[in-house]
Amino acid sequence: MTTLPVGIDDIAASTTSLMFPLAALAAAHDTSAGKYHRGIGQDEMSVPADDEDIVTLAARAAAPIIERHGSEGIRTLLLATETGIDQSKAAGVFVHDLLELPPNVRVVELKEACYSATSALQFALGIVARNPDEKVLVIASDVARYELDSSGEATQGAGAVAMLVAAHPRVLEIEPASGLFTENVHDFWRPNDRTTALVDGRYSVTVYLRAMEVAWQDYRERGGSPIDTISRICFHQPFTKMAAKAMQKLAKTAGLEDSAKAVSDLADTMTLNRRLGNTYTASSYMALLSLLEAGSLGDGERVGIFSYGSGAVAEFFTGVLVRGYREQLRTGDLTAMLDARREISYSEYRERHIAADRTGNFDTVHETLGNFRFAGVRDSIRVYEKTDNSPRA
Ligand code: HMG
C-alpha cells in the first residue's frame, strides 16, 4: 500500500520590532556576558512593541503564505500558543479576520506549553490524509515572559512560525512514526492569575532530557529510523544550549559514535533562536527554519524534530526534505526582521515589562514594523487593524 505524502508545503516566520541584548542584561545583573552567550547560548531576545502580541505575530508570519498560495483549499486554521489573549475566544479567529480568510474555515487554539504546535501539525496531517484536497494553516505564536530578576529572565523571547500543511508537500514530507511522552509534573506552568511563568529551572532541564529519551525509545519501537540515518535534529530550544545537552544525551542513548560532531552540527539549527530567545511553541520550528535556510542538507535527507512542552508532553518524529525544497524558502526574511528591530536599553526593557501587565481599556502606541497591529482594548474587546509598514512618531 502506498501512503499519500503529506507534510509542510510552505513555512514562514515573524518576530517583534524591539530587541534587548543579553550583554546589557548581564551588565545590569553584574553577571558575565559569557554566562548568557556561551553558558545558555543566547545573544538577544525579541521584545514586543506596544502594539504587538501573539495575534499580530501570527498574522505577520502567515501573510506571505496566503500571498503566495491564496486561501484556496484552506479549511482549517490551528493556532498553538501558551500566551492566550482570551479565556474563551481562540486567537486564531482574529488572525483569520486579519488574513481575510473565507468563512468556511474551522479555527481553534491549542495549548500544552511549548509542545502544542506539534500536536497541531499532527492533527493537520490527519485532516489532509483524509481529505487530500484540503490544506491546513498551522501557526505557532508566543511571547515568553518570566519575572524580572528571575533565573528564567535571560530566556525570554517572542516569535511566530506559520506552516501550510498539504498533500504532496514541497518542503518536508513527514514520516508516520512518532514517539510520545506525557507525565504530570510541575517544572514550568502559568496559573490563570499570572502573566509570567513559574518555573523550577534545573528540574525543567532534567524532565526535558528524560522526556526526550522516552519519546526517542517510543519512536524507535514504533518503526522510527536509526539515529545514523537522521542528518540533523531540530530540538525545542528554550535556550540553544539545551539542544546541545539533548544531543549529547541522545547520542549516548541511541549509540551514535561521534557525539561531538553531532553537537557541533546543531549550530545551523540555532542561528535564529540565538537572536529570538525562547519562542515557546514556535521554537522547534524556528530551529527547522534555521536549518532549512542554512541550506546545509541536501534533498532527500532526513530531519528529526523533538518537541517538548513543560507539564509535560513531548514528541519525536522525522521528515524527509523534498527535492527542490530550497526554492520554496524565503531565505533571509526573518533575519531582515531581526536586524530591523530597535535595540532598547535596560531601563526601557524594565518599563515595558511592567507596562505589559496593564488591564482594562486602553489604546496602544503605533510602534510595530509589521503590517498588523493591536490597537488596544475598547469595551473589553481587543481591537486589531492592518497598517502600512511605517511606524508613526
Ligand atoms: P541559571 O541558574 O541562571 O544558570 O539558570 P546556571 O548557573 O545553571 O548556568 C547556566 C550555564 O551557564 C551552566 O552551564 C554554567 O556552567 C554556565 P551547564 O552546567 O548548564 O552546562 N556558565 C557559564 N558559561 C560560560 N561562561 C560563563 C558562565 N557562567 C555560567 N561565565 C536555567 C539556567 C536554564 C535554569 C534558567 O535560564 C531558567 O530557569 N530558564 C527557564 C526554564 C528553561 O528554559 N528550562 C528548559 C527546559 S524546560 C522547557 O524547555 C520548556 C519551556 O520552553 C516552557 C514550555 O514548555 O512552555 C521552558
Side-chain angles (χ1 to χ4, degrees):
M1 191 183 80
T2 52
T3 48
L4 179 78
V6 284
I8 301 171
D9 191 45
D10 198 357
I11 180 167
S14 75
T15 192
T16 62
S17 301
L18 303 175
M19 179 276 283
F20 182 53
L22 291 193
L25 185 67
H29 285 186
D30 206 13
T31 303
S32 150
K35 173 172 172 178
Y36 298 146
H37 294 161
R38 294 189 303 282
I40 62 168
Q42 291 302 128
D43 299 325
E44 299 166 358
M45 64 172 80
S46 280
V47 175
D50 198 42
D51 52 351
E52 291 175 332
D53 69 2
I54 57 149
V55 168
T56 65
L57 281 170
R60 194 179 185 190
I65 292 182
I66 302 302
E67 210 170 282
R68 180 184 287 175
H69 303 267
S71 58
E72 180 84 31
I74 298 178
R75 288 179 58 81
T76 306
L77 189 168
L78 303 174
L79 192 147
T81 188
E82 56 179 296
T83 322
I85 50 153
D86 192 288
Q87 297 281 13
S88 170
K89 183 169 177 167
V93 174
F94 293 105
V95 178
H96 172 274
D97 185 26
L98 289 171
L99 295 176
E100 296 178 21
L101 297 179
N104 311 104
V105 178
R106 64 169 77 83
V107 180
V108 287
E109 185 169 312
L110 293 101
K111 177 172 71 182
E112 171 27 50
C114 300
Y115 164 73
S116 64
T118 299
S119 70
L121 181 58
Q122 293 291 356
F123 298 163
L125 295 170
I127 290 170
V128 174
R130 190 179 156 106
N131 307 291
D133 294 338
E134 290 190 19
K135 297 172 185 172
V136 180
L137 186 59
V138 171
I139 310 177
S141 184
D142 267 305
V143 176
R145 285 182 82 227
Y146 292 89
E147 269 188 43
L148 291 170
D149 307 320
S150 68
S151 74
E153 186 178 13
T155 66
Q156 297 174 113
V161 171
M163 294 175 279
L164 190 64
V165 176
H168 304 288
R170 282 167 277 198
V171 177
L172 189 73
E173 186 181 324
I174 309 285
E175 297 183 296
S178 189
L180 303 171
F181 168 93
T182 290
E183 188 180 321
N184 183 11
V185 293
H186 282 85
D187 60 331
F188 165 110
W189 68 108
R190 184 165 70 80
N192 281 345
D193 58 353
R194 293 184 59 95
T195 57
T196 52
L198 295 169
V199 65
D200 184 341
R202 301 262 164 85
Y203 178 55
S204 72
V205 170
T206 309
V207 184
Y208 176 118
L209 293 174
R210 186 155 50 82
M212 188 270 301
E213 278 195 300
V214 175
W216 166 258
Q217 274 150 5
D218 189 42
Y219 166 78
R220 288 290 285 138
E221 280 162 22
R222 298 189 66 89
S225 304
I227 189 83
D228 56 6
T229 66
I230 302 175
S231 301
R232 211 71 96 239
I233 297 174
C234 301
F235 290 96
H236 169 55
Q237 295 173 8
F239 49 95
T240 64
K241 182 86 172 287
M242 187 70 233
K245 285 180 194 283
M247 190 68 239
Q248 255 154 4
K249 181 121 190 164
L250 182 59
K252 214 165 166 192
T253 308
L256 189 67
E257 274 177 27
D258 197 348
S259 63
K261 181 175 183 312
V263 171
S264 71
D265 278 352
L266 286 184
D268 52 16
T269 70
M270 297 174 178
T271 317
L272 297 170
N273 281 324
R274 285 192 74 94
R275 301 186 64 190
L276 289 158
N278 193 352
T279 54
Y280 286 164
T281 51
S283 170
S284 308
Y285 301 95
M286 289 291 188
L288 174 65
L289 188 63
S290 195
L291 174 67
L292 298 175
E293 292 198 353
S296 45
L297 298 191
D299 296 350
E301 290 202 63
R302 178 171 288 117
V303 175
I305 296 180
F306 175 66
S307 177
Y308 174 78
S310 285
V313 179
E315 181 160 350
F316 188 95
F317 65 101
T318 46
V320 173
L321 290 167
V322 179
R323 190 207 283 217
Y325 78 89
R326 289 186 190 84
E327 287 151 38
Q328 304 304 317
L329 306 176
R330 299 167 186 78
T331 302
D333 278 14
L334 183 58
T335 303
M337 274 186 219
L338 289 165
D339 292 345
R341 294 170 303 176
R342 179 171 70 78
E343 181 175 330
I344 57 175
S345 67
Y346 182 61
S347 57
E348 183 176 349
Y349 153 75
R350 283 186 78 94
E351 278 163 25
R352 285 180 180 273
H353 198 286
I354 294 161
D357 285 339
R358 82 196 128 169
T359 54
N361 294 324
F362 56 87
D363 287 331
T364 58
V365 180
H366 191 149
E367 295 182 318
T368 186
L369 300 172
N371 291 106
F372 305 98
R373 64 182 299 270
F374 165 47
V377 179
R378 295 172 198 154
D379 298 328
S380 300
I381 293 171
R382 292 179 82 87
V383 178
Y384 293 91
E385 60 191 27
K386 288 189 189 175
T387 169
D388 65 12
N389 215 355
S390 49
R392 286 159 211 159

